[in-house]
């Protein structure tokens, strides 16, 4: 497999996973989503202007931290 083919395959697979990431079929999201309120509460304790999201999700939850 060439690097271009591998890149295309990776994009295709990540796109497919993103479509169900926040649905009931996404076990990692469902397992971790209960921690989000605690994480947001910790973020609110200190002022910040930048946030590095190291996850592979859809970033829907990050919108709360920008509000």
């Amino acid at each position: 497999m060439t690097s271009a083919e591998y890149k295309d395959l990776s994009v295709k697979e990540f796109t497919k996973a993103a479509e169900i990431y926040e649905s009931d079929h996404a076990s990692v999201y469902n397992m971790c989503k209960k921690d989000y309120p605690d994480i947001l509460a910790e973020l609110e304790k200190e002022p910040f202007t930048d946030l590095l999201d190291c996850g592979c999700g859809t970033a829907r939850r990050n919108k709360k931290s920008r509000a």
Side-chain angles (χ1 to χ4, degrees):
M1 180 179 293
T2 67
S3 61
E5 291 170 329
Y6 183 74
K7 181 179 178 179
D8 289 341
L9 178 61
S10 296
V11 169
K12 179 181 173 186
E13 290 301 314
F14 276 100
T15 301
K16 186 168 61 171
E19 291 172 359
I20 63 165
Y21 182 78
E22 292 180 345
S23 72
D24 289 337
H25 300 289
S27 60
V28 173
Y29 170 75
N30 286 325
M31 183 174 59
C32 297
K33 70 181 178 181
K34 65 179 174 32
D35 296 326
Y36 289 171
D38 296 329
I39 293 168
L40 290 173
E42 287 298 315
L43 288 173
E44 291 171 354
K45 290 181 181 179
E46 298 288 334
F48 63 91
T49 57
D50 298 312
L51 175 67
L52 175 61
D53 177 11
C54 295
C56 294
T58 60
R60 216 169 104 188
R61 298 292 177 199
N62 283 349
K63 290 177 185 174
K64 288 186 177 184
S65 66
R66 288 184 247 157

